[in-house]
Amino acid sequence: MSSLFPNYARRPIHLVEGKGTIVTDVNGKSYLDFISGIAVNSLGHAHPTLIQAVEEQSRKLWHVSNLFESPEQERLAALLLQDTHLSHMFFCNSGAEANEAAMKLARKFTGKHTIITFEQSFHGRTFGAMAATGQEKVKQGFGPLLPSFVTIPFNDSARLAAAATDEVAAIMLEVIQGEGGVNEITSDFAKAIHDVCKEKGILLIVDEVQTGIGRTGTRFAYEQTMLKPDIVTLAKGLGGGFPIGAMAGTTELAEVFGPGTHGTTFGGNPLAVHVAQSVVRHIFDPLFLDEVKKKSAYMKEQLQSILTGSPFVIKGRGLLVGIECGMDVTLMIELLQEKGLLVLQAGQTVIRLLPPLTVSVQEIDEAVEILGSVLPKMVVTS
């Protein structure tokens, strides 16, 4: 009998080693890892750059708290803010923490409480982030949640206009809803959000926890839209596997987040931010990002070639790719796992592919071949 709370539906695999895109279980079976720790292992497993960064900093300083100046945090902030309209950073430990900080900052700056979020969104499992999330299954059984959230359909400009009253502090969204089905924002809806924020003085929070740090082929996914967020949240791929989260904001917001307004014991510790610097320097190289775009285009082309006709739809950007299958994909994922490919679900009917950004073309070919051997047969026999 396990001594752990049963709050995870764990797969019956004990992974013990990883290198690049390949992970190996306790029985010696190898798998192509197209989960990457849920978009976390951005440079794959055991990347030499990250091993070196951990070794270097672990011999110097691990933790001293945020009572003291942190040149390491300053260096990471400069890397993340370079060539953006954003000017200030706050470091924490996770995406949910980053989103909690963003909601606090928006409410404190505006003096208003209402935040607009969207159906099928996912922002975390703390009480505030859970209230912001547009999926009822996440909220069931916990009683009253943090009030003042208005959740409306994604990509619905008419509903947005109706919801954007003078009481709204912020709009909070994912440019691509990863957990909710790999749903992309439309250009028309991005413009509608831009216009309503400008007209009403509403802050824009973009949750880049899953889409940020090169996952979609640019530094941040919002860069592929006309949106200019006031606040951006980050985590997952930022540490390449080491826990770290972050919130970025504009200059005018900084004045309301003075001493005592928010904090964290472990956030931005020297070890985490040193590792994250290595990740960011590696991924923000324009040549690296260009490779992510090329591999994305190649993977989508190969998927289109084997998954022709209804109900298959390939969607997403960069190496956040969804395959709409038109049916529950739970059994498909189990069969893919048996054949040596680890993938994720996104909603009931979408398979989500999140390989390391360092995945090779050969590994993409292997994954596509496995997908082609399972998905069409499952749809035909359903």
Side-chain angles (χ1 to χ4, degrees):
M1 181 177 176
S2 175
S3 299
L4 303 176
F5 276 106
N7 55 307
Y8 297 112
R10 297 183 188 270
R11 302 186 187 189
I13 300 176
H14 177 194
L15 298 175
V16 295
E17 189 174 0
K19 184 72 173 178
T21 310
I22 307 298
V23 290
T24 306
D25 69 17
V26 68
N27 298 312
K29 181 176 179 178
S30 293
Y31 305 82
L32 281 165
D33 182 7
F34 272 49
I35 296 177
S36 301
I38 314 181
V40 168
N41 300 319
S42 46
L43 297 180
H45 298 272
H47 194 284
T49 298
L50 301 192
I51 292 172
Q52 181 181 352
V54 171
E55 289 179 345
E56 286 176 352
Q57 188 61 39
S58 66
R59 295 190 182 98
K60 296 178 181 178
L61 201 62
W62 287 35
H63 176 76
V64 291
S65 87
N66 285 297
L67 294 172
F68 303 94
E69 291 185 356
S70 178
E72 290 282 351
Q73 287 188 23
E74 295 284 359
R75 281 190 280 271
L76 178 56
L79 288 170
L80 290 167
L81 296 170
Q82 186 175 358
D83 298 324
T84 75
H85 65 286
L86 304 163
S87 62
H88 288 74
M89 298 292 307
F90 166 78
F91 293 110
C92 51
N93 304 287
S94 69
E97 283 188 44
N99 285 334
E100 290 282 352
M103 292 183 284
K104 284 181 67 173
L105 178 57
R107 288 175 63 153
K108 187 160 180 59
F109 179 79
T110 63
K112 301 175 183 180
H113 304 149
T114 301
I115 297 176
I116 296 173
T117 63
F118 299 95
E119 293 175 4
Q120 296 308 116
S121 62
F122 183 83
H123 298 293
R125 295 184 183 274
T126 53
F127 260 84
M130 185 166 57
T133 292
Q135 299 185 52
E136 285 304 312
K137 66 181 181 181
V138 173
K139 307 177 185 183
Q140 291 172 359
F142 296 103
L145 300 178
L146 185 69
S148 302
F149 286 92
V150 175
T151 303
I152 64 175
F154 195 45
N155 287 325
D156 189 329
S157 298
R159 292 290 295 275
L160 174 67
T165 68
D166 292 335
E167 301 303 313
V168 174
I171 296 171
M172 186 174 188
L173 63 89
E174 303 154 277
V175 171
I176 303 175
Q177 296 179 328
E179 296 285 334
V182 193
N183 308 313
E184 299 182 54
I185 193 170
T186 65
S187 57
D188 287 346
F189 195 56
K191 185 178 186 308
I193 288 173
H194 172 273
D195 291 348
V196 78
C197 285
K198 186 175 181 180
E199 177 187 348
K200 299 276 190 175
I202 296 171
L203 296 181
L204 176 59
I205 304 169
V206 174
D207 177 341
E208 294 260 14
V209 169
Q210 185 164 159
T211 57
I213 316 298
R215 175 55 58 181
T216 64
T218 50
R219 297 175 305 172
F220 312 107
Y222 80 80
E223 294 175 311
Q224 299 179 47
T225 74
M226 70 174 299
L227 297 175
K228 192 175 181 180
D230 300 283
I231 302 171
V232 174
T233 57
L234 303 164
K236 289 190 180 289
L238 177 58
F242 202 98
I244 184 170
M247 176 188 70
T250 56
T251 301
E252 55 267 32
L253 301 180
E255 63 186 40
V256 302
F257 238 36
T261 54
H262 195 54
T264 164
T265 297
F266 296 105
N269 66 77
L271 193 52
V273 293
H274 187 75
V275 172
Q277 286 176 55
S278 296
V279 173
V280 173
R281 287 193 185 98
H282 199 104
I283 292 176
F284 281 15
D285 183 326
L287 294 177
F288 185 92
L289 291 172
D290 189 51
E291 282 298 309
V292 172
K293 293 175 186 174
K294 289 178 181 176
K295 285 184 281 194
S296 172
Y298 179 78
M299 181 158 66
K300 288 181 178 179
E301 286 175 7
Q302 298 308 303
L303 288 170
Q304 293 283 9
S305 69
I306 64 159
L307 302 174
T308 56
S310 181
F312 297 114
V313 177
I314 313 302
K315 51 186 179 175
R317 300 185 189 184
L319 292 175
L320 167 52
V321 175
I323 306 172
E324 172 60 61
C325 297
M327 60 178 287
D328 190 301
V329 297
T330 304
L331 181 56
M332 293 184 189
I333 289 174
E334 292 176 6
L335 293 174
L336 292 168
Q337 183 171 290
E338 289 177 10
K339 288 178 174 287
L341 177 62
L342 303 180
V343 298
L344 279 170
Q345 205 161 338
Q348 284 293 108
T349 63
V350 177
I351 288 176
R352 186 172 23 148
L353 307 178
L354 292 165
L357 304 184
T358 52
V359 65
S360 69
V361 171
Q362 180 182 341
E363 289 164 341
I364 290 172
D365 286 341
E366 292 172 8
V368 170
E369 182 178 354
I370 295 171
L371 288 160
S373 71
V374 172
L375 270 55
K377 294 176 184 176
M378 289 294 295
V379 170
V380 168
T381 57
S382 65

